[in-house]
Amino acid sequence: MNSNKDNFQPSSPSETPGGGESLTIETAIANLEGTDSGLRFYAAWWLGRFKVNEPRAITLLIEALADELDRTPEGGYPLRRNAARALGKLNDKSAVPALIKSLECSDYYLREAAAESLGMLSDASAIPALHNLLITGLTGEELVIESTPSQPYDAILEALGNLGAKECVPQIELFLKHPVERVQYSAARAMYQLTKNSSYGERLVKALAGNNLQLRRTALADLGAIGYFEAADAIAQTLAENSLKLIALKGLLEYQVRELTPPTPTLSDDAIKVMKLMDSLL
Amino acid sequence: MNSVQQLISAVEEADSSAKLVKAVQNLASSGSEDAVPTLIAALGYNNPGAAVAAVDGLIEIGEKAVKPLLQLLDNYNYGARAWAVRALAGIGDPRGFNTLLDAAKNDFALSVRRAAARGLGTIHWQQMPSEQRSTSQQQALETLIQVCRDPEWVVRYAAVTGLEALANAASETQPDKLPQITAPLLEMANNDEEVAIRARAWMAIHQHHSQIEMPTMKTLAESDDEKEVPSRGSGRRS
């Protein structure tokens, strides 16, 4: 996640800074169709960043998931990764089959990006493939102990949680004991989404009191994503950047106000509490 | 060596992050004017715990910290600037007003813009000469309206809280100005792309329910915009 970058970011195509990198939708699409791998790579990112949800862009990004030209020395697929990330943001389910296929790629970071995007596209047809990838980390009911995870389990678990994959709960639960803490958090996050059992939310709250700043940041992002209201005070108090706390609290607030209806919505006490905490962190 | 100097030495000699935080907290709670330079220095240590404690201490010390804060603000690193602007905003001394006006609109770092936007509303207006107050509140309003179009959601959120504070101040002293201040809040409550900001603007408007004409509000629909930067997977290539 990049939300901890505490500096200016453009929010619309016209505000993109920097001479040669300023694109229009037409040039971005043309660049993606071209042969310059640098321009293609940037265009794929740009189309996702500015949510260019146009049929031609979707088609080209799906094609880019099969790109063979842009390779890292280690065999990674940079263009594919960016295309997979962009497709997650464009909200077009026609990308789902190609993203599912990307889960089989040799490139770990492409599998990670594809899993993340499948979780964002809310298409339950991705569940079996994600489940199959998850259980490569299991032998029966035991975790395979790996010092470096061979699959992007965190992204897979989060996607399964986002997709409401209740049928995967028994396998997801096993990852609560994964040796990598980030993976444990992802499992807790998915378990909370799938069961609404507060013990999983509390697992993440506990992580906010840990010694490792990076893990506290991860837990903040997870709590914001699941909107676990009971974490509000712990979020405001944990030792981390206010920017990240504000993003997490915004996640909580969004869950609180999602149900508001016009014309004169009443704000709940919980929503007001979250906003007051946010005010105190500005 | 008096006790404040001992507390200052403890900050300077801290050899771990945890000790630094503790030492800055202790110094901050002294509330002594002599602590100001050391607390300001602690804003630049890139240690959020120490910076939070230092900001709290500087706000507590209040007016006496304003001049050194303004002097040290220029050419300071962005992280430290953000904390210094937060301290100025928290102190609310009118001498910081022009700094906040400029920072809210023009600062490169969003954390600085957001702190300044909030501070523009919470200036201690009663400490300002009355002939200056009306002009300054108008300047604050115009700046906050501009900041409501900031590309970063959190800066717009802060601008809404600034407008709310300005509306609260005006409702006491210049109730005729209130509709002018609530108009941009209504605009934010209805049209901001972020549901969190619409809700915050709505909360601000509610306080002045009886004094303004209530509009109808559009649906608080979901928004999932997320800011991102391009990366070629630095550190994540395999």
Side-chain angles (χ1 to χ4, degrees), chain B residues 6-232:
Chain B
Q6 282 169 356
L7 293 170
I8 290 170
S9 303
V11 172
E12 286 163 353
E13 287 156 17
D15 57 3
S16 74
S17 173
K19 276 186 198 164
L20 179 67
V21 173
K22 194 73 203 152
V24 173
Q25 281 170 343
N26 290 340
L27 179 62
S29 63
S30 76
S32 162
E33 193 185 339
D34 296 337
V36 170
T38 311
L39 291 176
I40 288 177
L43 304 178
Y45 292 162
N46 196 22
N47 179 322
V52 167
V55 167
D56 289 347
L58 289 163
I59 292 172
E60 189 64 35
I61 293 163
E63 287 179 23
K64 294 214 164 71
V66 173
K67 209 171 153 194
L69 272 170
L70 288 170
Q71 282 167 348
L72 286 169
L73 207 56
D74 290 335
N75 302 322
Y76 226 55
N77 74 58
Y78 276 111
R81 263 185 80 81
W83 294 111
V85 170
R86 280 196 76 193
L88 283 175
I91 294 168
D93 189 290
R95 282 173 291 169
F97 182 67
N98 286 327
T99 300
L100 297 181
L101 270 185
D102 179 54
K105 277 191 292 192
N106 301 322
D107 203 281
F108 177 85
L110 72 88
S111 53
V112 179
R113 298 202 301 283
R114 88 174 178 233
R118 175 157 179 75
L120 279 179
T122 53
I123 283 281
H124 294 167
W125 302 108
Q126 69 282 6
Q127 290 173 7
M128 207 175 249
S130 52
E131 66 274 14
Q132 205 188 76
R133 196 181 302 156
S134 181
T135 319
S136 295
Q137 288 186 344
Q138 189 62 33
Q139 280 181 299
L141 175 61
E142 283 163 17
T143 299
L144 287 171
I145 289 171
Q146 212 177 318
V147 179
C148 281
R149 293 194 291 271
D150 195 282
E152 291 292 344
W153 75 268
V154 75
V155 180
R156 298 198 304 279
Y157 183 101
V160 166
T161 72
L163 286 168
E164 177 188 59
L166 203 56
N168 292 345
S171 71
E172 287 166 23
T173 56
Q174 299 173 279
D176 56 310
K177 279 273 180 70
L178 200 54
Q180 227 191 315
I181 303 170
T182 49
L185 285 172
L186 287 170
E187 163 72 17
M188 296 301 278
N190 279 311
N191 295 328
D192 197 272
E193 65 185 30
E194 293 284 352
V195 68
I197 292 173
R198 296 201 296 279
R200 185 64 186 82
W202 195 246
M203 179 167 123
I205 291 163
H206 259 252
Q207 299 177 28
H208 302 285
H209 195 172
S210 56
Q211 285 158 283
I212 56 167
E213 200 180 322
M214 291 298 272
T216 55
M217 197 191 186
K218 287 181 195 163
T219 316
L220 287 157
E222 289 177 38
S223 172
D224 58 357
D225 193 34
E226 202 186 320
K227 304 290 182 266
E228 234 198 319
V229 292
S231 87
R232 205 173 158 86

Side-chain angles (χ1 to χ4, degrees), chain A residues 63-172:
Chain A
E63 284 172 18
L65 289 178
D67 174 72
E68 288 291 350
L69 296 175
D70 190 8
R71 304 294 299 268
T72 68
E74 301 84 0
Y77 291 92
L79 176 62
R80 292 190 190 191
R81 295 173 193 170
N82 264 11
R85 290 177 193 128
L87 285 164
K89 298 181 170 75
L90 297 184
N91 203 27
D92 188 321
K93 293 186 186 190
S94 66
V96 168
L99 286 169
I100 290 174
K101 192 157 190 307
S102 297
L103 294 176
E104 298 167 7
C105 183
S106 59
D107 180 359
Y108 176 98
Y109 297 104
L110 176 63
R111 299 198 299 277
E112 180 181 58
E116 206 171 301
S117 289
L118 286 166
M120 292 161 81
L121 288 176
S122 309
D123 186 330
S125 69
I127 293 174
L130 288 163
H131 178 256
N132 286 340
L133 203 54
L134 183 71
I135 61 175
T136 60
L138 299 173
T139 47
E141 294 192 6
E142 297 290 328
L143 286 167
V144 179
I145 302 303
E146 309 164 298
S147 54
T148 310
S150 57
Q151 297 295 348
Y153 296 120
D154 44 358
I156 297 165
L157 290 160
E158 288 171 20
L160 288 168
N162 288 344
L163 294 175
K166 290 203 166 69
E167 63 271 39
C168 303
V169 160
Q171 290 76 38
I172 292 171

